[in-house]
Amino acid sequence: MKVRKVVIPAAGLGSRFLPATKTVPKELFPLVDRPLIHEVVAEAVASGISDLILVTAQGKSAIEDYFDVDQGLESFLERKGDKEMLERIGKISRMIRVGSVRQKEPLGLGHAVLCAWEFVGEEPFAVMLPDDVFDGPSPCLAQLLAVFSRTGKTVVALEEVPDDQAHKYGIIEGREVEPGLFHLESLVEKPAPGTAPSSLAVTGRYVLVPDVFRLLESQGKGFGGEIQLTDALNSLAGSDTVYGVVFKGIRYDAGDKLGFIKANINYALKDDDLGPRLAQFMADRLSREPE
Ligand code: G1P
């Protein structure tokens, strides 16, 4: 069955970026000139997804507005004769069909996904976490969907992480069945330091079967007193096949200050106009004595 819908949880407070997130949702922070969430939605579209379900919270309506038509802005650009920007702006409102739902209580990622159930229904769907930005030879989600289309089973994106970082992630235990493809036996959310069952972490891309909703609905609170998606996947792995794919490419954790800056530098260096000037600035800046 074709995967048509993606759920993007965007209800978090963004406390790691306060005070900036006091009024601006972190999902709208720019990667050069496109919001983080634009980059993630572009990956979804490039992977063949047609419908977006945003899970938002109070104070986050600017995200919905971003994907809406802005007639005032469009007529301003038209009057100015800025055809190129008019075209870019118009494309944003046409890139994907958008629906949204509110997560009324901050009960965790699993709960956020559960909030989207009535909009997803009984079909397989993708989940993309907007903090994780991927850059690689092909879209990360497309790499997962390729496995889903030949197996029909749940697939998550995996990345090898250093031991001292494992406590920040969902960590898997599994068996490699093909190069880079793991059959998952169990998953644990944010294992205590020194207890991780492997060095393979779940990153922010998932293709899920709708059974996950029933598991989320009936499960108790997990790590941090929240309803964890990882716990539902761990239960699912007991009754059905769950795969993990070590994706090809680089992930930037844009939910972290340094990761966000690195992502920006990466995208700016790839820009024909900005790239050479930024590289020059960095070389000059690094050769100078610290101020
Ligand atoms: C979430 C998931 C975690 C996953 C991580 C990837 O954690 O709960 O399993 O490894 O995203 O970025 P968060 O980063 O929201 O704490």
Side-chain angles (χ1 to χ4, degrees), residues 16 26 109-110 129 131-132 157 166 168-171 187-190 201-206 223 226-230 233 251 253:
R16 280 192 281 176
K26 68 173 173 183
L109 174 60
L129 307 187
D131 275 357
D132 280 336
K168 295 182 178 166
Y169 296 93
I171 301 289
L187 299 92
V188 52
E189 179 67 9
K190 303 199 170 67
V202 177
T203 62
R205 300 293 182 267
Y206 309 76
F223 181 88
E226 296 184 340
I227 298 176
Q228 297 291 350
L229 182 57
T230 304
L233 295 175
R251 175 182 69 102
D253 177 6

Side-chain angles (χ1 to χ4, degrees), residues 77-236:
L77 292 169
E78 214 163 324
R79 281 198 306 277
K80 237 178 93 188
D82 190 344
K83 286 207 179 104
E84 200 187 314
M85 189 52 73
L86 187 62
E87 166 86 13
R88 274 186 80 185
I89 296 289
K91 269 191 186 158
I92 297 168
S93 55
R94 293 190 300 268
M95 72 196 282
I96 197 161
R97 208 172 12 236
V98 187
S100 72
V101 58
R102 289 274 166 114
Q103 183 183 22
K104 293 183 179 148
E105 289 169 281
L107 293 178
L109 174 60
H111 178 257
V113 171
L114 186 57
C115 290
W117 190 1
E118 63 179 302
F119 297 90
V120 172
E122 293 300 318
E123 58 180 282
F125 63 105
V127 171
M128 301 171 90
L129 307 187
D131 275 357
D132 280 336
V133 180
F134 291 87
D135 193 8
S138 64
C140 181
L141 184 63
Q143 296 176 37
L144 267 58
L145 287 169
V147 175
F148 180 81
S149 67
R150 67 186 166 97
T151 63
K153 299 294 181 186
T154 293
V155 195
V156 303
L158 299 177
E159 181 182 18
E160 182 107 33
V161 295
D163 287 351
D164 65 348
Q165 298 294 305
H167 66 281
K168 295 182 178 166
Y169 296 93
I171 301 289
I172 67 114
E173 187 169 15
R175 196 162 45 81
E176 194 166 19
V177 289
E178 278 173 31
L181 180 67
F182 286 76
H183 180 169
L184 308 192
E185 276 140 22
S186 65
L187 299 92
V188 52
E189 179 67 9
K190 303 199 170 67
T195 68
S198 78
S199 56
L200 285 172
V202 177
T203 62
R205 300 293 182 267
Y206 309 76
V207 177
L208 304 175
V209 293
D211 286 346
V212 165
F213 289 127
R214 276 171 282 279
L215 294 168
L216 286 169
E217 193 183 33
S218 60
Q219 89 190 22
K221 290 179 178 168
F223 181 88
E226 296 184 340
I227 298 176
Q228 297 291 350
L229 182 57
T230 304
D231 294 345
L233 295 175
N234 184 48
S235 307
L236 187 67

